[in-house]
Every structure is written in C-alpha cells, then in structure tokens.
Amino acid sequence: MGVWQVLLVGMAAFCAGAMNSVAGGGTFFSFPALLAVGVPPVTANASNSVALWPASLSGAWAYRKELARYKKYLVPMGVASFIGGVGGGLLLLSTKDATFSRLIPWLLLFATVLFAFSGKISVWLRGRNAQKPGTSMSSLAGQVVVSVYGGFFGAGMGILMLASLAMAGHDDVHEINAIKNLLSAIIYSVTVCTFVVAGAVDWPYTVIMLATATLGGYWGASVARKIPALWLRRFIITVGFGLTLFYFYKTA
C-alpha cells in the first residue's frame, strides 16, 4: 500500500461512516475507493461491509438518548432485522452480482420517492390505523424486506430504511435516524460474520477503514442532531436522487 492508497481509502471510509449515520449511501464513497486501489470487486464488497459495521454502532451510540425511549419497540424490530439480514446474505451467495446491479437504481428511486412523500402518506395511513408507530405486523414485514436488501447489497439500505420507518408512522427525522442506525448495525453484524467466515476480506485496507469509518459515523451522527429536521430531510432526499442517477449511469 502506498501513501495515496491509504489516504484515499481512509478519507472515503470516514465520509462513508458519516453519510451512513446521517442519511445512508456511504457505500457510494467507500466501495469505489477500494476498487480504485485495486481490490477485486467481491473482496471490496466484503471488506466494505466489515469496515462500515463499527460506524453503524458508533452512529447508534450517538443517538442513545433517542433510542432509550424505544427499548420494547426495538426488540421485535431487531429480530426482524436479524432474520432479514440472514436471508439477504444467503440470497447473495446464490445470485450473480450483475443481476442485482440492474435493479439497484430502480430500488433507490422507489425508496427516495417514498421517503420524499412519506409525511403525507403516513398521515393518511394513521388516519386509517390508530396504532402507534412500528407496532403493526406490516411495519415488521417492511423491516424484514429492507433487511434482506441490506444483507444482499448494502448500497441504499439506509435510504430504504428511512423510508420504511417514516411509512410506519415516525415523523421525527432525528428519531428515524436513531432507529435506522441501530437496526443497520444488526444487519451489518450478520453480513460481517458471513464474509469473515468465508475469508473474503482484505484486512490491511479493512483495518484502516474500520478506524476512519467509526470516527466518521460518530461525527456524522453528532452533526446531524444539530441540523434542523427540514434541512436534514431535504439532504436525505438529495442524497437519494444523487445515488439513483449515479447507478442509472453505471448500469446504462
């Protein structure tokens, strides 16, 4: 590893950790950086998942005060995330990357549009259903679906989960971020175990990314709490459409 490779991978992982703790889409920075320094695609994907795992934990820790109010709610959602993450990992092992890569931009477009209009849709849903946010079977099923996606390919998982939680009735964007960070950490834990056991990790680069992504995750979550909710929501939507355009370009 040369100095430029270390700097590139380290900075990309810091940005990825910060992005994931705020709005998701961190893989947009870290995965291409690993490819740029010569890491093979499959190994880069595995190494990227391992490297961003602690960042999701640090991001959740930064939101620990918000999470304390939802202990009972987080147990079933955590179980749903674990089950979905396992399913997504198994699906990844039996599917070619090229097949899924063609679906990525469409999934990101759907999730971003869903999040952009989630406020109006959730009001409509709550008008038909008086249950508290996240207590219905439909919200658990939605989390399983998002977790399958995350276990299969992490890019855009944060956007999908933000949309899913907003649709479940959560209307505070900081609250959504807190829950999303914790559930993402559970999904990452499943994929990390899979890739480590399979021996598909480039450890020299991964160690660098582990340190910088963790710092970025905590920094990003801390900054996000100081941003007005309206501007954070707009930033999330902008990130979502940006990722969508990028992946449409890549698959064209």
Side-chain angles (χ1 to χ4, degrees):
M1 290 187 294
V3 175
W4 76 269
Q5 287 100 330
V6 172
L7 291 176
L8 175 62
V9 170
M11 286 300 298
F14 181 88
C15 293
M19 285 289 293
N20 279 353
S21 67
V22 175
T27 297
F28 174 74
F29 292 97
S30 52
F31 182 68
L34 286 170
L35 295 178
V37 298
V39 180
V42 173
T43 303
N45 184 43
S47 302
N48 181 69
S49 295
V50 175
L52 296 184
W53 172 53
S56 61
L57 292 176
S58 64
W61 177 253
Y63 278 110
R64 59 191 179 278
K65 292 182 180 179
E66 288 82 354
L67 290 171
R69 301 194 300 267
Y70 296 96
K71 290 181 179 179
K72 293 183 179 180
Y73 165 71
L74 290 174
V75 172
M77 290 293 280
V79 172
S81 299
F82 179 84
I83 294 173
V86 171
L90 294 176
L91 186 62
L92 176 62
L93 296 176
S94 59
T95 306
K96 295 182 179 180
D97 289 337
T99 301
F100 187 73
S101 65
R102 290 193 293 269
L103 297 175
I104 292 174
W106 295 103
L107 291 171
L108 290 176
L109 177 61
F110 172 76
T112 305
V113 171
L114 195 65
F115 183 75
F117 293 97
S118 60
K120 294 181 179 179
I121 297 174
S122 63
V123 170
W124 177 77
L125 290 174
R126 277 180 287 177
R128 298 171 59 88
N129 184 358
Q131 289 181 313
K132 294 181 179 180
T135 58
S136 66
M137 289 301 296
S138 61
S139 63
L140 292 175
Q143 182 59 29
V144 170
V145 172
V146 173
S147 302
V148 169
Y149 176 94
F152 187 38
F153 189 74
M157 177 181 68
I159 297 292
L160 281 170
M161 196 177 301
L162 287 167
S164 176
L165 291 170
M167 289 290 293
H170 297 276
D171 53 10
D172 186 321
V173 71
H174 296 293
E175 172 188 294
I176 294 174
N177 260 328
I179 298 172
K180 182 264 295 182
N181 285 347
L182 181 61
L183 298 181
S184 295
I186 295 174
I187 298 169
Y188 270 122
S189 298
V190 176
T191 57
V192 162
C193 291
T194 301
F195 290 135
V196 170
V197 170
V201 178
D202 187 314
W203 285 109
Y205 283 119
T206 300
V207 169
I208 296 171
M209 294 176 70
L210 279 167
T212 56
T214 301
L215 291 174
Y218 192 86
W219 178 83
S222 300
V223 170
R225 294 174 68 187
K226 302 175 183 178
I227 301 175
L230 177 61
W231 285 101
L232 183 57
R233 178 175 287 274
R234 289 173 177 172
F235 175 72
I236 290 170
I237 293 171
T238 301
V239 170
F241 280 120
L243 286 169
T244 299
L245 291 174
F246 173 78
Y247 281 108
F248 268 122
Y249 171 78
K250 291 289 289 184
T251 57

